[in-house]
Amino acid sequence: MSAASVPASTAPNQGAGAGSIPSAALQSLQVRPIPVAMTKRLIIEHHYLHSLSGGTCLAFGVFLGNRLQGALTLGVGPTLAYSLVADAAPADCLTLTRLWLSDQLPANSESRVLGIVLRSLRQHTTVKFLVTYADPAQGHIGIIYQATAWLYTGLSEAMPLYDLGDGKLRHSRSLSHAYGTHSVQHFARHGIAVKLTPQPAKHRYVYFLDPYWRNRLRAPLLPYPKKEFTDEGH
């Protein structure tokens, strides 16, 4: 699957899920497929993680006029994410891995952009559901996902990050995508001492593109986490 299989979308002809009439500024936003390489440069420069997840297969740019002002990516995500839903196969699930929008965009742009992408995926792919995570270590609780009616399933299993000796922290999925494994023993056999950096569990959200799959969800539904103030990105 590639982003090219999902048609370009503009806010005026896409319902964005919130139901309210968007402002003229929001209506001027355009969301369309862009090359992963272009997305990678943008994410590395602006996203707080400064990296693009291994296994990224869909990338969308957010444009105001002809200026690229944001990006959203989806990919394979954690190996067993699809098992959250009974009888699901890996191809039924994608993980929303990165979402970054410029502060120059109008208020509520995150919800608007996400709504456009969700509708496009529903109409033009066979993906049944999405998974995404919000990192409490960064003060994130998933306000964007709450605003667009994702289901909250609690905290994910805490997974360490991997440092191959260059000071760059990588997810296990990124290592597996690049090297075919994230086994510490494998790297040790090749003379690479891997340092594991513990990470806290993350808030996990699920969104069903096919609503008939919702009753297959194995994880319990929980109330949204709350806090008084957030300043978050994905």
Side-chain angles (χ1 to χ4, degrees):
M1 180 186 299
S2 69
S5 66
V6 183
S9 303
T10 57
N13 60 23
Q14 293 287 332
S20 59
I21 299 174
S23 67
L26 286 177
Q27 287 184 326
S28 66
L29 294 179
Q30 295 184 8
V31 181
R32 59 178 183 261
I34 61 175
V36 171
M38 183 186 298
T39 309
K40 185 175 182 178
R41 290 194 296 269
L42 189 73
I43 293 298
I44 288 176
E45 181 177 357
H46 296 291
H47 193 275
Y48 74 90
L49 288 175
H50 302 292
S51 66
L52 188 63
S53 295
T56 297
C57 59
L58 292 175
F60 297 90
V62 181
F63 294 83
L64 189 60
N66 61 358
R67 297 183 62 189
L68 180 61
Q69 296 288 310
L72 181 151
T73 63
L74 302 105
V76 294
T79 305
L80 298 178
Y82 71 93
S83 65
L84 287 168
V85 175
D87 300 320
D92 295 321
C93 172
L94 283 176
T95 298
L96 194 164
T97 53
R98 296 289 186 271
L99 174 58
W100 175 83
L101 298 182
S102 168
D103 291 338
Q104 297 181 26
L105 294 181
N108 301 317
S109 290
E110 294 93 343
S111 296
R112 187 68 177 166
V113 168
L114 190 50
I116 292 170
V117 171
L118 293 176
R119 170 172 274 196
S120 293
L121 293 172
R122 185 182 297 115
Q123 292 180 341
H124 303 292
T125 76
T126 59
V127 176
K128 304 302 183 182
F129 64 99
L130 306 177
V131 179
T132 195
Y133 302 87
D135 189 353
Q138 298 293 325
H140 302 169
I141 60 171
I143 293 296
I144 298 168
Y145 312 119
Q146 296 177 20
T148 46
W150 292 59
L151 305 177
Y152 179 64
T153 62
L155 294 172
S156 67
E157 181 182 355
M159 301 294 290
L161 296 179
Y162 294 70
D163 180 352
L164 302 185
D166 57 4
K168 181 179 179 180
L169 298 179
R170 301 169 174 87
H171 290 279
S172 60
R173 63 176 178 266
S174 295
L175 281 184
S176 296
H177 180 74
Y179 300 100
T181 182
H182 62 269
S183 167
V184 173
Q185 291 77 15
H186 168 83
F187 288 104
R189 287 195 296 270
H190 290 81
I192 300 174
V194 177
K195 178 182 178 181
L196 298 180
T197 301
Q199 299 293 300
K202 296 182 179 180
H203 297 294
R204 184 179 60 207
Y205 291 83
V206 178
Y207 187 93
F208 284 94
L209 298 168
D210 185 339
Y212 294 105
W213 281 52
R214 177 170 172 167
N215 62 359
R216 300 189 190 183
L217 182 64
R218 286 174 165 154
L221 296 182
L222 301 174
Y224 288 147
K226 301 294 182 184
K227 69 177 182 178
E228 293 182 359
F229 174 80
T230 61
D231 178 15
E232 69 174 88
H234 183 83

